[in-house]
Amino acid sequence: MEPLIGNTTDQAPANPAATDDMLATQPIGYWSGLTHTTVTRHLRDAMARIDVTQPQYWVLNRVNGGPAAPSREEVVAQLTHLADGPHEIARVVDQLLHREWLRIDDGQRLHLTDAGEAARARLRELAAEVRAEVHKGISDKEYVAALQVLRKMVANIEGDGTPGKSF
């Protein structure tokens, strides 16, 4: 008989008050979902206080982030998987054009205006502030370990489960 590799721990129902010695029995779906919801809500609330949305920040970063100016269609295609619906990113592009944070050139390519770059820079600062708040008391080593565990869980489900598999 081969020895068991890893732990086989029975799963308990999700319990927000679980003590540290009970965490190994907690469902990852509950905790990863709670983390996603809480962090996203907190970031979006912070952005709302300066009248910006997270999807607007995504679009500003994407328009700024490539070697060549993207088209509207490229931005929509690249960001829609992050959005709350299939039409959200196209609407955000329209909002940012209306705000004059984006402009379209003669080749139908999107560019940041000076106001758009200023907004992107401010949002980057805000995102860094929120990240620092979320990461308070968590070392880089602990953070990397947590992400490695989550990445391994994804590989176990989507990949062949080989240790060290990279994405």
Side-chain angles (χ1 to χ4, degrees):
M1 184 166 139
E2 291 188 40
L4 287 175
I5 298 174
N7 296 329
T8 55
T9 303
D10 287 337
Q11 184 168 306
N15 179 359
T19 59
D20 285 353
D21 63 325
M22 297 168 51
L23 288 178
T25 67
Q26 290 294 289
I28 186 62
Y30 170 78
W31 287 99
S32 62
L34 180 62
T35 302
H36 172 77
T37 299
T38 304
V39 170
T40 300
R41 182 182 60 238
H42 185 68
L43 177 62
R44 288 180 176 188
D45 288 349
M47 289 180 171
R49 287 191 283 279
I50 60 172
D51 192 29
V52 180
T53 67
Q54 188 180 30
Q56 289 172 340
Y57 182 44
W58 298 335
V59 170
L60 291 172
N61 277 330
R62 174 55 197 99
V63 170
N64 182 65
S71 69
R72 172 193 198 90
E73 293 75 21
E74 289 168 339
V75 170
V76 169
Q78 292 168 357
L79 297 177
T80 294
H81 73 282
L82 299 172
D84 291 335
H87 306 291
E88 183 176 22
I89 300 302
R91 290 178 185 132
V92 166
V93 169
D94 289 338
Q95 291 167 344
L96 296 177
L97 287 166
H98 177 76
R99 256 187 200 194
E100 297 183 353
W101 287 4
L102 291 180
R103 67 175 178 80
I104 298 178
D105 67 20
D106 292 338
Q108 298 302 300
R109 298 290 176 177
L110 296 170
H111 302 271
L112 294 181
T113 62
D114 289 344
E117 175 53 28
R120 190 195 65 76
R122 172 61 187 116
L123 285 164
R124 186 173 171 88
E125 290 173 12
L126 178 64
E129 292 166 11
V130 170
R131 184 183 194 279
E133 185 179 357
V134 170
H135 287 238
K136 186 176 172 183
I138 300 167
S139 70
D140 285 349
K141 184 177 179 179
E142 290 170 312
Y143 181 71
V144 167
L147 293 186
Q148 287 171 331
V149 167
L150 292 172
R151 185 168 61 184
K152 176 63 177 153
M153 288 179 174
V154 171
N156 287 343
I157 294 167
E158 291 186 350
D160 61 8
T162 304
K165 179 180 178 182
S166 63
F167 291 86

